[in-house]
Amino acid sequence: MRSVLTALGIIIGVAAVIAMVGIGNGAKAQVEAQIASLGQNVILIFSGSTTSSGIRTGWGGAGTLKIEDAEAIRREVPGVAAVSEEVVSTTQVAAGNQNWFTRIYGESADYLDIRQWALTDGAPFTAQDVRSANKVCIIGRTTASQIYGNDDPVGQILRIKNVPFTVTGVLTPKGLSTQGVDQDDVVIMPFTSAMKRVVGGTTLRNINVQISDGRQIQAAQQQIISLLRQRHNIRPGRDDDFTVVGGIGIMNIMLVSVTERTREIGTRMAVGAHGSDILMQFLIEAVTLSSVGGVIGIIFGIGASQILSSYAHWPTLISLSSIIVAFMFSAAVGVFFGFYPARKAAALDPIEALRYE
């Protein structure tokens, strides 16, 4: 029973590690696939919310972010690789006798690099297009098929609020987002063009910031918060008008084992066993229990992962490295926490051990 209890701690621990690592890896792979469309090392800055007649608009409604804020971030925050000012709207677009209701995004020329979004045809708009507020745009595959059918959209005219925009490129399909939104049903244009010709106004809904080194994201986030609070004259204590989105059990049982087996130890030492023999006995026992428990734990862990995957429909991904690490750790725990009780056993006086009740 003592050996079973000793191994049980290892079995439960290793099984939990294998199962949780499997579930974690599966969830990580799924989440990484879902957020890959957002780009890597990206910090999202949302404009504040506003309240009208008791109705709160949510983030982005107050228009507290300005073009100058984005320029300041480019200029003053270390490690910034790219910035895209963003305005968003929905409207009807048309070409020939076809029309379609879609989302309009005004962005900088860096937006496609930030989102890691390639084109299947044509070319993106340029920084010069942004500076000149040119009437150019790129469109998603869904918008292209709904408006142009099987025709090539590149070079065609797309009317947005009766303003003629030239389609310069078609985006690579991304499919549905995690919220079930069709990411390919979109028109992207220079944010200056969107402000001047489609959305109106001079404020931004979002600012997308890409950091060159992922290890600097936390520091960059804090620097952006400090910079925007300073630019927006937010006093200390006041809320932001924006938001930035970034083995003991084994040793105890082995000590009990030593205490309960004191007479056994005394008998062995009385018939010639040395301290090193006693030390090796308890050390081997601890390592064996830990290793066997580790193997059983691995089996249970893999089984638990598969059961959760089948019945709860959670994605799981068992990696060989997690199995090796869990097993090696179980063996190491056995050595580490088995050494002290083994030393204690080896140091017993055989006369006192024989008299122990």
Side-chain angles (χ1 to χ4, degrees), residues 297-318:
I298 289 170
I299 295 171
F300 277 119
I302 295 175
S305 298
Q306 297 301 320
I307 291 172
L308 284 171
S309 180
S310 299
Y311 289 96
H313 303 292
W314 287 359
T316 58
L317 183 61
I318 303 296

Side-chain angles (χ1 to χ4, degrees), residues 261-289:
R261 295 164 66 184
T262 300
R263 286 180 61 83
E264 174 195 337
I265 294 168
T267 302
R268 288 198 65 203
M269 296 182 74
V271 296
H274 296 88
S276 59
D277 299 322
I278 305 299
L279 175 67
M280 188 60 63
Q281 174 190 348
F282 280 85
L283 200 55
I284 290 174
E285 181 178 321
V287 173
T288 301
L289 287 173

Side-chain angles (χ1 to χ4, degrees), residues 84-88 105-111 125 130 188-192 194 208:
S84 182
E85 300 87 339
E86 182 172 293
V87 294
V88 182
Y105 282 83
E107 305 286 351
S108 79
D110 291 330
Y111 180 70
F125 54 81
V130 176
I188 302 175
M189 63 180 63
F191 72 89
T192 50
N208 304 296

